């Protein structure tokens, strides 16, 4: 994916891309191990749903923030941006298309399909777009403010 993104839209590759490739998965494992070792695996349905909802919202906020920082994005996060640019579809819809396509491919190759996978595939794109709109305005306002002070 990284090679395709490099040629499709080189502006999406940056320091954020490198950090995403080498740090995000490992950091995620550290947090999961810390929480499960410290508190145990969540047992009840209500707590699992709450953790899932918080995870989707925080993941959406984080993705939106680093996309709008324009310092490079992970190859997986770049795919819906490129699809959106090439087709004119909204980012929200492009993300859902990419996520569902990869869920179907994974499932057809034998991976497990859980309710969180389905919820994430349908809702991550709209949530990321929601937070991108907020961060885009905020980051552009601050960038404009700093550029006029010089």
């Amino acid at each position: 994916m990284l090679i395709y993104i490099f040629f499709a839209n080189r502006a999406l590759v940056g320091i954020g891309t490198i950090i995403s490739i080498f740090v995000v998965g490992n950091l995620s494992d550290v947090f999961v191990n810390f929480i499960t070792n410290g508190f145990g695996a969540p047992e009840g349905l209500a707590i699992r749903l709450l953790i899932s909802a918080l995870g989707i919202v925080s993941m959406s906020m984080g993705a939106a923030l680093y996309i709008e920082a324009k310092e490079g994005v992970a190859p997986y996060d770049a795919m819906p941006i490129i699809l959106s640019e090439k087709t004119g579809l909204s980012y929200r819809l492009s993300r859902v298309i990419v996520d569902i396509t990869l869920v179907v491919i994974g499932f057809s190759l034998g991976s497990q399909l859980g309710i969180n996978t389905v919820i994430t595939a349908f809702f991550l794109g709209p949530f990321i777009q929601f937070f991108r709109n907020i961060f885009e305005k905020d980051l552009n306002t601050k960038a404009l403010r700093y550029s006029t002070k010089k």
Side-chain angles (χ1 to χ4, degrees), residues 4 7-9 81-89:
Y4 171 74
F7 290 108
N9 186 342
I81 295 170
I82 293 169
L83 180 63
S84 174
E85 291 170 350
K86 295 200 179 289
T87 63
L89 296 172

Side-chain angles (χ1 to χ4, degrees), residues 28-134:
S28 175
D29 287 344
V30 167
F31 278 114
V32 168
N33 287 333
F34 174 75
I35 291 170
T36 54
N37 289 338
F39 302 103
E43 294 294 325
L45 179 62
I47 191 74
R48 290 191 344 243
L49 290 173
L50 176 65
I51 290 170
S52 295
L54 290 173
I56 290 171
V57 170
S58 63
M59 202 164 72
S60 300
M61 287 175 62
L65 186 59
Y66 96 95
I67 289 169
E68 288 306 318
K70 308 226 185 313
E71 293 297 329
V73 298
Y76 183 79
D77 291 324
M79 296 305 288
I81 295 170
I82 293 169
L83 180 63
S84 174
E85 291 170 350
K86 295 200 179 289
T87 63
L89 296 172
S90 68
Y91 173 84
R92 168 185 310 115
L93 181 57
S94 297
R95 180 67 187 230
V96 171
I97 290 170
V98 168
D99 287 346
I100 290 173
T101 300
L102 293 176
V103 165
V104 169
I105 290 169
F107 183 70
S108 67
L109 292 174
S111 68
Q112 294 182 4
L113 182 63
I115 188 67
N116 278 333
T117 305
V118 174
I119 290 171
T120 302
F122 280 101
F123 289 101
L124 202 59
F127 284 164
I128 291 173
Q129 184 61 57
F130 172 78
F131 289 116
R132 280 184 72 186
N133 292 340
I134 292 170

Side-chain angles (χ1 to χ4, degrees), residues 3-26:
I3 294 168
Y4 171 74
I5 290 157
F6 184 78
F7 290 108
N9 186 342
R10 195 168 297 187
L12 295 173
V13 178
I15 189 68
T17 308
I18 305 305
I19 291 170
S20 293
I21 290 171
F22 293 106
V23 175
V24 171
N26 293 321

